[in-house]
Structures are given as structure tokens and as C-alpha cells.
Amino acid sequence: MYLLIINFIVDGIILIGMFLLFMKDPSREEMQKQKQIAREIEGTFQSYLEEIREENRKFEQNTVSRRSDSLTEKKEEVSGNRRTKSEDPIEFQPPVTESREKVEFSEELKVKKMAEEGKSLEEMAKLLGTGKTEVEMMMKLIRRQQ
């Protein structure tokens, strides 16, 4: 009988100890920390999204007001000048750019063009300022590429 009572007391102490160990489990604390961090990150994202939405609303309002202002100006312009789109066509004129860069062709391309023109090796070498053997090598390379 005494052993049975001692056994129940020991079992109770063991159960209380296991419960306390479970409550102090580091993995459980880590999970709680991770959940807290996840909530903080979610809150941060929500605030960023709200800021972006607000910026988009402001941008839309600005573009709508600009459009309405430009339409009002165009209507005033048309009514003041009494012109319609069919009377005053708008033509696109691309911007004129001045190219000051000179395009230089490669030696191989120059040799190929001269060969097509029927020039001799000596003439090609003289025009390019190189030797005949170099021109011959370029000709061989050109033939291999074709």
C-alpha cells in the first residue's frame, strides 16, 4: 500500500517535470519568435503596399488633371483658331542627327570588294599598304568563310 502511494507521488512529480520541460522547450520558443518575425515582416509589406497605392492614386490624379488641362487648352486653341484636325494635319518629322563618325570597313571586307572589282593582288596590297602575302591570306580566309 505504501509502495502504491509512493508510486503515484513519483508519477505526479515526473508528469509535472515533463510539463515544465515541455514549456521551456527551445524549439517552441523559436517557433514563437519566427511567428513574431513573420508578423513584423507582413506588417512592413502592408505599409509599403499602402505607400505604393497612395503614390499611384496621386499619380493618377495628376495625369487625369494634366489630360483635362491639355484637352481644355486644345479646345480653346481649336475654337480660337477655328481649325479642325482635317484642315491642319500634323506630320511626323524625325529629328535630324549629324553623324560625324566615319565608318571604316575591315581589311577583309576591303579585300573582298577589291577582288569583286577584279583588282590584282599587287594593286590590293598597294591600296591597303600591306604585303601581297597578307592579301593572299585574307583571300584564303574569305574563301573559307563562303
Side-chain angles (χ1 to χ4, degrees):
M1 183 72 165
Y2 292 119
L3 289 175
L4 191 60
I5 293 172
I6 292 172
N7 188 20
F8 281 126
I9 293 172
V10 171
D11 287 341
I13 293 171
I14 290 173
L15 286 174
I16 291 171
M18 287 176 50
F19 179 74
L20 291 174
L21 285 174
F22 177 74
M23 294 303 288
K24 292 183 179 180
D25 186 20
S27 63
R28 185 171 182 211
E29 290 176 8
E30 288 178 21
M31 287 180 65
Q32 289 176 347
K33 287 180 184 177
Q34 289 176 353
K35 287 180 183 178
Q36 179 65 27
I37 291 171
R39 281 188 227 119
E40 290 174 3
I41 291 172
E42 187 176 335
T44 305
F45 282 138
Q46 287 295 333
S47 65
Y48 285 141
L49 284 173
E50 286 300 318
E51 288 177 16
I52 290 171
R53 286 180 186 143
E54 185 61 32
E55 288 177 7
N56 285 343
R57 285 186 202 118
K58 288 179 183 178
F59 179 73
E60 286 176 358
Q61 289 173 352
N62 287 341
T63 54
V64 168
S65 65
R66 286 182 188 163
R67 285 183 189 166
S68 63
D69 291 345
S70 65
L71 288 175
T72 305
E73 289 173 6
K74 286 180 183 178
K75 286 180 182 177
E76 290 173 358
E77 208 174 279
V78 169
S79 63
N81 294 335
R82 302 286 183 201
R83 292 183 182 174
T84 62
K85 288 184 180 179
S86 60
E87 293 175 359
D88 192 19
I90 298 172
E91 294 181 20
F92 174 74
Q93 296 179 354
V96 179
T97 58
E98 294 181 23
S99 178
R100 296 181 183 174
E101 297 178 19
K102 291 184 179 180
V103 178
E104 292 190 24
F105 297 106
S106 67
E107 297 291 319
E108 291 179 13
L109 187 58
K110 290 178 184 177
V111 169
K112 185 177 180 181
K113 287 189 177 205
M114 286 185 226
E116 288 173 357
E117 292 172 2
K119 296 190 178 185
S120 67
L121 290 176
E122 293 85 17
E123 290 175 318
M124 287 187 245
K126 187 176 181 181
L127 289 171
L128 293 173
T130 61
K132 286 190 328 184
T133 54
E134 192 172 341
V135 173
E136 287 178 27
M137 288 177 62
M138 284 187 223
M139 291 290 290
K140 288 180 183 178
L141 284 172
I142 291 168
R143 288 183 195 133
R144 286 184 187 169
Q145 290 174 356
Q146 292 176 353

